[in-house]
Amino acid sequence: MNPVKVGICGLGTVGCGTVDVLRRNQAEISARAGCDIVISHIGARRDNPKVDTNGLQLSRDIFAVAEDPDIDILVELIGGTTVARELVLKAIAQGKHVVTANKALIAEHGNEIFAAASEKGVSVNFEAAVAGGIPIVKAIREGLAGNRIEWLAGIINGTGNFILTEMRDKGRAFDDVLKEAQQLGYAEADPRFDVEGIDAAHKLAILASLAFGIPLQFDKAYTEGISQISTDDVTYAEELGYRIKHLGLARRTEKGVELRVHPTLIPEKRLLANVNGVMNAVLVKGDAVGPTLYYGAGAGGEPTASAVVADIVDVARTLSAEPMHRVPHLAFQPDALNDTPVLPIGDVVSASYLRISALDKPGVFSKIATILSDADISIEALIQKEPQPGQNHVAVILLTSRCVESNIVDALVKIESLDSVDGKVVRIRVESLDG
Ligand code: HSE
């Protein structure tokens, strides 16, 4: 078989890793693919001193790669959604297969991109877009194809998990850890995408489509970041037997699909609670298989390159297959996608951790308990510390039963309006993830 020619656009952390892995494991990769895979064109606005481009065609204009008649597969590693979208659509129009690590691009423009690719009979593979090196797209799309998937929950942003882990284990400051994540090449170009949960929501939207056969709907995902998490909450959560993780959750319910990213207390005995540092993990519950867990490096050059190269091999293997014999982009055949609605956050059901700053005097707790009980919310656990010398407010920590979001939100408005309660109540959702 003729060698498969690859054009790589973008020579950042992942581009550099992809070149390295393709070169280092060349013989093994060819043996797996059944043909040689050759990097023949690189498009990058500037050189990366870590990559030796000697002997390679190098273009400053990345669109030259999409137009290169020699290229079979264009690998998009430039990031962003504007130029990347144009580049990918151009490559598809030229009849090229595409491999991308760009979660924002797939989550926001995937429906359009896949339609264009199907029209042209080419593949767009995006394993590296979700959870770095973990083959979660392949697992859901192919390995779990016999299941009705009920829910999935994942730590799908390495930077955020690295920050939370360092804060908890070493008491380090948020900004200091974020800076290190940037130096290590984990963080997005705009790190707010990591800490505000946008990056995780991109990935979650993709996972939910693969799991439930719904079109990509990133705009309907509920997103809450980790910048408000305090070390007090980390400590109280531990006292209650929980860890705080920044979780992406997608769940099929009778009314629709829950799609949400937010800090979450999970029982410390769950494997997911023990996923630390830049590692990612995704727990998927299928009706036949039960819960399955996928774990690995969620960011970084070579781990992400591992997924990019696997996609290149996949495309190379199916180059001669008819499009109808390839795995559908979103796991289900395009005409079999369903219109199950994504639920607004007010309709989501979860338990809550509450931290209330309350005046230390008789009757205050009973007022709080009455408001919760009137809303049909029961108190499952409680911590209250003695007041510190010179302070008249104490922290009251509650774990509540599960209830619909709008119920607890209304109850919190009432609790916050009590004279004896100071400021806003801190609320973090709690998930047992017990299947
Ligand atoms: N910034 C992302 C993360 C990179 O930290 O997970 C991988 O998508």
mmCIF file of all heavy atoms in Angstrom, residues 209-231:
data_model
loop_
_atom_site.group_PDB
_atom_site.id
_atom_site.type_symbol
_atom_site.label_atom_id
_atom_site.label_comp_id
_atom_site.label_asym_id
_atom_site.label_seq_id
_atom_site.Cartn_x
_atom_site.Cartn_y
_atom_site.Cartn_z
ATOM 1 N N SER A 209 -23.101 13.585 23.252
ATOM 2 C CA SER A 209 -23.594 13.227 21.911
ATOM 3 C C SER A 209 -23.266 11.777 21.597
ATOM 4 O O SER A 209 -24.107 11.031 21.091
ATOM 5 C CB SER A 209 -22.954 14.123 20.847
ATOM 6 O OG SER A 209 -23.479 15.407 20.959
ATOM 7 N N LEU A 210 -22.029 11.379 21.897
ATOM 8 C CA LEU A 210 -21.614 10.000 21.618
ATOM 9 C C LEU A 210 -22.418 9.005 22.454
ATOM 10 O O LEU A 210 -22.763 7.919 22.002
ATOM 11 C CB LEU A 210 -20.128 9.816 21.946
ATOM 12 C CG LEU A 210 -19.127 10.671 21.172
ATOM 13 C CD1 LEU A 210 -17.730 10.516 21.772
ATOM 14 C CD2 LEU A 210 -19.111 10.292 19.706
ATOM 15 N N ALA A 211 -22.716 9.403 23.693
ATOM 16 C CA ALA A 211 -23.384 8.470 24.610
ATOM 17 C C ALA A 211 -24.876 8.352 24.324
ATOM 18 O O ALA A 211 -25.440 7.266 24.417
ATOM 19 C CB ALA A 211 -23.170 8.931 26.057
ATOM 20 N N PHE A 212 -25.522 9.488 23.999
ATOM 21 C CA PHE A 212 -26.991 9.479 23.923
ATOM 22 C C PHE A 212 -27.548 9.649 22.511
ATOM 23 O O PHE A 212 -28.762 9.697 22.337
ATOM 24 C CB PHE A 212 -27.564 10.584 24.826
ATOM 25 C CG PHE A 212 -27.060 10.539 26.246
ATOM 26 C CD1 PHE A 212 -26.630 11.692 26.890
ATOM 27 C CD2 PHE A 212 -27.010 9.343 26.950
ATOM 28 C CE1 PHE A 212 -26.157 11.660 28.193
ATOM 29 C CE2 PHE A 212 -26.538 9.300 28.256
ATOM 30 C CZ PHE A 212 -26.111 10.453 28.889
ATOM 31 N N GLY A 213 -26.662 9.821 21.532
ATOM 32 C CA GLY A 213 -27.152 9.966 20.152
ATOM 33 C C GLY A 213 -27.889 11.262 19.927
ATOM 34 O O GLY A 213 -28.880 11.312 19.198
ATOM 35 N N ILE A 214 -27.424 12.337 20.574
ATOM 36 C CA ILE A 214 -28.045 13.657 20.368
ATOM 37 C C ILE A 214 -27.047 14.552 19.623
ATOM 38 O O ILE A 214 -25.834 14.336 19.737
ATOM 39 C CB ILE A 214 -28.453 14.324 21.710
ATOM 40 C CG1 ILE A 214 -27.257 14.395 22.681
ATOM 41 C CG2 ILE A 214 -29.601 13.581 22.355
ATOM 42 C CD1 ILE A 214 -27.532 15.160 23.974
ATOM 43 N N PRO A 215 -27.529 15.557 18.891
ATOM 44 C CA PRO A 215 -26.577 16.461 18.234
ATOM 45 C C PRO A 215 -25.744 17.205 19.274
ATOM 46 O O PRO A 215 -26.123 17.282 20.456
ATOM 47 C CB PRO A 215 -27.484 17.448 17.468
ATOM 48 C CG PRO A 215 -28.822 16.809 17.426
ATOM 49 C CD PRO A 215 -28.924 15.895 18.610
ATOM 50 N N LEU A 216 -24.637 17.765 18.848
ATOM 51 C CA LEU A 216 -23.774 18.534 19.757
ATOM 52 C C LEU A 216 -24.511 19.790 20.213
ATOM 53 O O LEU A 216 -25.048 20.534 19.386
ATOM 54 C CB LEU A 216 -22.487 18.907 19.027
ATOM 55 C CG LEU A 216 -21.601 17.697 18.722
ATOM 56 C CD1 LEU A 216 -20.762 17.934 17.479
ATOM 57 C CD2 LEU A 216 -20.723 17.363 19.914
ATOM 58 N N GLN A 217 -24.549 20.012 21.529
ATOM 59 C CA GLN A 217 -25.294 21.172 22.045
ATOM 60 C C GLN A 217 -24.519 21.835 23.169
ATOM 61 O O GLN A 217 -25.007 21.936 24.308
ATOM 62 C CB GLN A 217 -26.669 20.721 22.546
ATOM 63 C CG GLN A 217 -27.559 20.252 21.420
ATOM 64 C CD GLN A 217 -28.781 19.515 21.883
ATOM 65 O OE1 GLN A 217 -29.776 20.117 22.238
ATOM 66 N NE2 GLN A 217 -28.706 18.208 21.899
ATOM 67 N N PHE A 218 -23.318 22.276 22.854
ATOM 68 C CA PHE A 218 -22.477 22.926 23.859
ATOM 69 C C PHE A 218 -23.190 24.130 24.490
ATOM 70 O O PHE A 218 -23.089 24.362 25.695
ATOM 71 C CB PHE A 218 -21.157 23.362 23.212
ATOM 72 C CG PHE A 218 -20.415 24.395 23.994
ATOM 73 C CD1 PHE A 218 -19.789 24.061 25.189
ATOM 74 C CD2 PHE A 218 -20.357 25.717 23.553
ATOM 75 C CE1 PHE A 218 -19.113 25.017 25.934
ATOM 76 C CE2 PHE A 218 -19.688 26.673 24.295
ATOM 77 C CZ PHE A 218 -19.069 26.330 25.482
ATOM 78 N N ASP A 219 -23.933 24.865 23.677
ATOM 79 C CA ASP A 219 -24.576 26.092 24.178
ATOM 80 C C ASP A 219 -25.593 25.805 25.274
ATOM 81 O O ASP A 219 -25.982 26.700 26.018
ATOM 82 C CB ASP A 219 -25.233 26.862 23.016
ATOM 83 C CG ASP A 219 -26.200 25.990 22.225
ATOM 84 O OD1 ASP A 219 -25.988 24.767 22.156
ATOM 85 O OD2 ASP A 219 -27.192 26.537 21.700
ATOM 86 N N LYS A 220 -26.021 24.542 25.420
ATOM 87 C CA LYS A 220 -27.025 24.243 26.455
ATOM 88 C C LYS A 220 -26.390 23.652 27.710
ATOM 89 O O LYS A 220 -27.093 23.313 28.666
ATOM 90 C CB LYS A 220 -28.065 23.274 25.897
ATOM 91 C CG LYS A 220 -28.765 23.841 24.666
ATOM 92 C CD LYS A 220 -30.163 23.295 24.534
ATOM 93 C CE LYS A 220 -30.853 23.929 23.339
ATOM 94 N NZ LYS A 220 -31.024 22.998 22.238
ATOM 95 N N ALA A 221 -25.069 23.526 27.719
ATOM 96 C CA ALA A 221 -24.407 22.952 28.911
ATOM 97 C C ALA A 221 -24.361 24.006 30.014
ATOM 98 O O ALA A 221 -24.090 25.176 29.757
ATOM 99 C CB ALA A 221 -23.003 22.493 28.558
ATOM 100 N N TYR A 222 -24.625 23.582 31.232
ATOM 101 C CA TYR A 222 -24.502 24.480 32.392
ATOM 102 C C TYR A 222 -23.054 24.413 32.879
ATOM 103 O O TYR A 222 -22.488 23.323 33.023
ATOM 104 C CB TYR A 222 -25.454 24.027 33.496
ATOM 105 C CG TYR A 222 -25.234 24.794 34.773
ATOM 106 C CD1 TYR A 222 -25.747 26.074 34.932
ATOM 107 C CD2 TYR A 222 -24.474 24.256 35.817
ATOM 108 C CE1 TYR A 222 -25.519 26.798 36.093
ATOM 109 C CE2 TYR A 222 -24.243 24.965 36.974
ATOM 110 C CZ TYR A 222 -24.770 26.235 37.105
ATOM 111 O OH TYR A 222 -24.531 26.952 38.250
ATOM 112 N N THR A 223 -22.461 25.578 33.115
ATOM 113 C CA THR A 223 -21.029 25.616 33.432
ATOM 114 C C THR A 223 -20.748 26.478 34.658
ATOM 115 O O THR A 223 -21.181 27.627 34.722
ATOM 116 C CB THR A 223 -20.258 26.204 32.230
ATOM 117 O OG1 THR A 223 -20.601 25.452 31.082
ATOM 118 C CG2 THR A 223 -18.766 26.114 32.425
ATOM 119 N N GLU A 224 -20.035 25.906 35.602
ATOM 120 C CA GLU A 224 -19.629 26.637 36.808
ATOM 121 C C GLU A 224 -18.165 26.287 37.081
ATOM 122 O O GLU A 224 -17.793 25.116 36.996
ATOM 123 C CB GLU A 224 -20.512 26.121 37.951
ATOM 124 C CG GLU A 224 -20.774 27.088 39.054
ATOM 125 C CD GLU A 224 -21.705 26.441 40.075
ATOM 126 O OE1 GLU A 224 -22.913 26.303 39.812
ATOM 127 O OE2 GLU A 224 -21.195 26.033 41.132
ATOM 128 N N GLY A 225 -17.339 27.295 37.408
ATOM 129 C CA GLY A 225 -15.894 27.071 37.547
ATOM 130 C C GLY A 225 -15.451 26.756 38.961
ATOM 131 O O GLY A 225 -16.270 26.584 39.871
ATOM 132 N N ILE A 226 -14.124 26.690 39.138
ATOM 133 C CA ILE A 226 -13.574 26.297 40.445
ATOM 134 C C ILE A 226 -12.944 27.464 41.198
ATOM 135 O O ILE A 226 -12.434 27.276 42.295
ATOM 136 C CB ILE A 226 -12.504 25.184 40.300
ATOM 137 C CG1 ILE A 226 -11.384 25.622 39.330
ATOM 138 C CG2 ILE A 226 -13.111 23.875 39.896
ATOM 139 C CD1 ILE A 226 -10.194 24.687 39.335
ATOM 140 N N SER A 227 -13.005 28.668 40.607
ATOM 141 C CA SER A 227 -12.248 29.750 41.239
ATOM 142 C C SER A 227 -12.828 30.155 42.602
ATOM 143 O O SER A 227 -12.141 30.794 43.402
ATOM 144 C CB SER A 227 -12.129 30.950 40.295
ATOM 145 O OG SER A 227 -13.370 31.234 39.747
ATOM 146 N N GLN A 228 -14.087 29.777 42.881
ATOM 147 C CA GLN A 228 -14.682 30.156 44.175
ATOM 148 C C GLN A 228 -14.449 29.089 45.257
ATOM 149 O O GLN A 228 -14.859 29.277 46.412
ATOM 150 C CB GLN A 228 -16.205 30.363 44.032
ATOM 151 C CG GLN A 228 -16.604 31.395 42.988
ATOM 152 C CD GLN A 228 -15.937 32.741 43.219
ATOM 153 O OE1 GLN A 228 -15.845 33.213 44.346
ATOM 154 N NE2 GLN A 228 -15.426 33.341 42.146
ATOM 155 N N ILE A 229 -13.802 27.990 44.889
ATOM 156 C CA ILE A 229 -13.599 26.924 45.896
ATOM 157 C C ILE A 229 -12.574 27.396 46.922
ATOM 158 O O ILE A 229 -11.481 27.829 46.571
ATOM 159 C CB ILE A 229 -13.075 25.635 45.224
ATOM 160 C CG1 ILE A 229 -14.090 25.107 44.207
ATOM 161 C CG2 ILE A 229 -12.719 24.553 46.247
ATOM 162 C CD1 ILE A 229 -15.354 24.605 44.814
ATOM 163 N N SER A 230 -12.950 27.293 48.208
ATOM 164 C CA SER A 230 -12.012 27.738 49.252
ATOM 165 C C SER A 230 -11.425 26.526 49.966
ATOM 166 O O SER A 230 -12.002 25.427 49.936
ATOM 167 C CB SER A 230 -12.738 28.631 50.259
ATOM 168 O OG SER A 230 -13.521 27.822 51.095
ATOM 169 N N THR A 231 -10.295 26.746 50.608
ATOM 170 C CA THR A 231 -9.678 25.630 51.334
ATOM 171 C C THR A 231 -10.577 25.190 52.494
ATOM 172 O O THR A 231 -10.560 24.027 52.882
ATOM 173 C CB THR A 231 -8.277 26.022 51.863
ATOM 174 O OG1 THR A 231 -8.360 27.315 52.412
ATOM 175 C CG2 THR A 231 -7.237 26.001 50.771
#
